[in-house]
Amino acid sequence: MGMTDAAIDFKQAVNHRKGKNLLGAYYPASTIVIDTECLQTLSDRHILNGIAEALKHALAQSRSMTEMIVTPLRETNLACLRDPEYLDMVCRTCIDHKVPTLIYYTQSNFNEMVPQYGHAIAHALEHLSFHCGDSVKPLLHGEAVAIGMCVSAEVAFILGICDEQTVSEHYEFISDSGLPTFVPRNMTLKDIMAKLRYDKHYVKKPAMGLLSKIGFMYSKDGDYAQTIPHEVTLKALSANIERRDAAPFSYAPPESELPISDIVNVVMASNAEELTNHAESVFEDGNLLDEWRAVSVDSSEFNARKENIYWRLWAMKGNH
């Protein structure tokens, strides 16, 4: 996250109990050092957290950048997250697209709305996910942004700014990157709408940057910030939730006699042998079982990917 977003900006902020990024200062870094080898100590989930911010710039500024990020993730089933060359490409390409928004686009609010794409919704979802009790698992910032971009695409479609293909591509690119696309279950529309009021761009109504198509930020009379009526925001959130409830999971494990709590305990086991012993009884899907066996061959690899495996299972069970 720091390599693709947080460090490359004029501001630093901290969260407040009322909302995200409400306290902070403007103090740009004089030097930023990026070493993607350091990312090898992170879980896949935390690397994807940063990928989400790079994907934000890609969706808003460049279709080719979007494909450069997503295609390797799709083709390697996320294995490229362990490839320093891929991560270096993501960081460099993100910097190439983000830095101009900090330097050159001073005649409009393009430089503000591109980095904030998806964030109006994301900040509300992220903050709420930490205050909904055990019914909602906390979202990392990039995960919330991924969902926020999907909802933003729904907003653009409702307003006639983009077509259905652009909305579908949002869901496809983001889900193929291993990131969530749907508002978490057990998070109410009422709570989301109330939390939106604490976004820094909220003035009586949410203000969002929206895309006319992949790689193009929409503007009206030179203004890239669109004021969104409450009923449109509600309709967009509802459309996202309807997709969530209708969508089959990428991997749908069959009904198991084991309750979800037992399955989670297996996934979070501290050794690969326990996972291997239980995998066949939990997953009858051949491809999924082969993948999990491959991960469990080496204990060190399993331990490194344990958190990511847990979250993928949680998403498959419809609780993410």
Side-chain angles (χ1 to χ4, degrees):
M1 178 63 71
M3 294 181 184
T4 59
D5 186 66
I8 310 166
D9 211 331
F10 295 127
K11 63 179 177 61
Q12 297 77 37
V14 295
N15 300 334
H16 184 270
R17 63 184 178 85
K18 291 290 187 180
K20 285 279 297 178
N21 295 350
L22 295 184
L23 302 173
Y26 290 89
Y27 194 86
S30 58
T31 303
I32 300 170
V33 178
I34 294 176
D35 183 355
T36 55
E37 293 283 354
C38 296
L39 298 178
Q40 298 307 309
T41 62
L42 297 181
S43 67
D44 288 0
R45 184 186 176 210
H46 279 276
I47 296 176
L48 284 172
N49 183 43
I51 294 285
E53 286 286 3
L55 186 56
K56 170 199 69 182
H57 279 280
L59 290 170
Q61 294 176 273
S62 170
R63 172 176 283 275
S64 62
M65 179 183 173
T66 302
E67 293 172 349
M68 286 173 62
I69 292 173
V70 177
T71 300
L73 291 167
R74 181 192 296 131
E75 292 181 348
T76 67
N77 193 26
L78 307 187
C80 61
L81 294 176
R82 297 296 156 187
D83 180 358
E85 291 186 5
Y86 169 75
L87 297 174
D88 185 77
M89 178 276 293
V90 171
C91 290
R92 289 180 183 274
T93 308
C94 185
I95 290 169
D96 288 343
H97 285 77
K98 180 169 184 175
V99 169
T101 70
L102 303 175
I103 299 175
Y104 301 113
Y105 301 108
T106 58
Q107 303 304 313
S108 74
N109 53 4
F110 178 84
N111 64 333
E112 177 66 14
M113 300 320 295
V114 167
Q116 292 300 312
Y117 184 53
H119 280 57
I121 298 294
H123 284 163
L125 298 181
E126 181 183 357
H127 192 267
L128 285 172
S129 74
F130 283 86
H131 297 86
C132 288
D134 294 336
S135 63
V136 177
K137 292 299 176 182
L139 293 168
L140 297 179
H141 178 68
E143 293 169 337
V145 170
I147 300 169
M149 291 190 291
C150 290
V151 176
S152 296
E154 300 278 10
V155 170
F157 177 71
I158 293 167
L159 294 175
I161 291 172
C162 76
D163 57 17
E164 177 63 38
Q165 179 181 345
T166 300
V167 180
S168 297
E169 286 182 324
H170 272 73
Y171 285 96
E172 291 168 8
F173 282 130
I174 292 170
S175 63
D176 285 353
S177 299
L179 290 160
T181 55
F182 301 126
V183 172
R185 297 178 189 275
N186 300 321
M187 193 177 287
T188 69
L189 291 175
K190 179 181 178 180
D191 287 343
I192 296 171
M193 293 299 293
K195 188 55 63 178
L196 281 173
R197 292 178 296 177
Y198 294 98
D199 184 71
K200 63 184 178 181
H201 294 109
Y202 188 102
V203 181
K204 295 185 178 180
K205 297 177 183 178
M208 302 180 187
L210 300 172
L211 304 188
S212 56
K213 58 182 178 179
I214 301 299
F216 290 88
M217 179 71 67
Y218 172 80
S219 69
K220 183 177 181 180
D221 300 326
D223 189 359
Y224 289 89
Q226 312 306 317
T227 301
I228 313 301
H230 295 307
E231 59 270 20
V232 172
T233 305
L234 274 170
K235 189 174 181 180
L237 287 165
S238 297
N240 177 272
I241 290 171
E242 288 174 7
R243 288 178 187 264
R244 179 197 70 194
D245 294 342
F249 298 114
S250 299
Y251 293 114
E255 292 298 324
S256 170
E257 295 181 0
L258 293 175
I260 182 64
S261 58
D262 288 350
I263 298 175
V264 169
N265 287 336
V266 170
V267 176
M268 294 300 288
S270 60
N271 63 79
E273 183 178 358
E274 185 173 353
L275 174 64
T276 303
N277 291 340
H278 288 277
E280 193 163 356
S281 65
V282 176
F283 300 106
E284 296 174 3
D285 181 283
N287 293 332
L288 183 60
L289 182 58
D290 288 343
E291 179 185 346
W292 283 49
R293 281 174 172 162
V295 171
S296 66
V297 167
D298 179 76
S299 294
S300 62
E301 180 186 2
F302 171 70
N303 288 331
R305 297 183 63 186
K306 182 169 59 177
E307 183 181 8
N308 175 259
I309 293 170
Y310 165 74
W311 281 99
R312 287 177 62 192
L313 175 65
W314 195 264
M316 283 186 278
K317 298 300 288 187
N319 292 304
H320 194 291

